[in-house]
Amino acid sequence: MITYQAEGVKMPKIRKRDTTAWIRAVAASYGKTVGEVGYLFCDDEKILEVNNEYLGHDYYTDIITFDYCEGDVLNGDLVISLDTVRTNAEQFKKSYEEELHRVIIHGILHLCGINDKGPGEREIMEAAENRALAMRVQ
């Protein structure tokens, strides 16, 4: 089951049924199934609080992924700052909707085992994001 919640912000205008189907299709393309995945949409202050409390990081980010996967079943909590998504969309000259979907799937790709911190990993993640975005029904 995939759940969507908002704290301190309005729920983004995403088509939940379509987004859920898309997430499941992307997971399946990696040989994974979706178990319990929860999205929490929030503001910058909340994500900074989560980043400090759970990761010891004192900076803003667009998404934090908590991975509780078991084997090929994706389980996790994904915390997304809509403030940072909006800032990134402007910075990268993308639409807010496209950037939001990129971040939504970015967390799923982490749960599928794709990283983006080591040498060459960012390019692999970006390619995976682009493939996943191409699978999304507009």
Side-chain angles (χ1 to χ4, degrees):
M1 173 191 280
I2 300 174
T3 59
Y4 305 91
Q5 297 178 34
E7 181 179 320
V9 296
K10 277 179 53 178
M11 180 65 74
K13 293 179 181 169
I14 56 173
R15 295 190 312 265
K16 292 178 188 172
R17 184 173 293 144
D18 291 343
T19 300
T20 296
W22 171 53
I23 290 167
R24 289 183 189 285
V26 170
S29 75
Y30 289 90
K32 311 285 185 183
T33 58
V34 175
E36 299 290 326
V37 173
Y39 282 92
L40 175 64
F41 299 102
C42 63
D43 61 14
D44 271 350
E45 293 313 308
K46 179 65 177 179
I47 207 156
L48 182 61
E49 177 186 314
V50 171
N51 217 0
N52 270 312
E53 184 174 341
Y54 295 98
L55 302 175
H57 299 159
D58 190 24
Y59 53 81
Y60 300 105
T61 187
D62 50 2
I63 184 169
I64 298 173
T65 303
F66 294 98
D67 183 340
Y68 314 125
C69 293
E70 298 175 12
D72 288 335
V73 179
L74 303 185
N75 296 295
D77 289 319
L78 299 97
V79 183
I80 295 175
S81 169
L82 297 182
D83 292 338
T84 301
V85 168
R86 187 170 308 285
T87 300
N88 288 350
E90 292 168 6
Q91 180 181 343
F92 301 130
K93 305 212 182 326
K94 301 287 185 186
S95 72
Y96 172 74
E97 180 185 28
E98 181 181 351
E99 187 63 19
L100 177 60
H101 284 90
R102 179 177 296 278
V103 174
I104 286 171
I105 211 63
H106 181 93
I108 296 298
L109 294 170
H110 273 309
L111 296 180
C112 288
I114 300 172
N115 296 311
D116 59 357
K117 300 291 186 222
E121 289 179 342
R122 183 174 301 279
E123 293 79 8
I124 292 167
M125 175 61 85
E126 286 179 15
E129 289 171 351
N130 291 335
R131 280 191 306 276
L133 286 167
M135 294 172 66
R136 189 171 77 86
V137 176
Q138 303 292 331

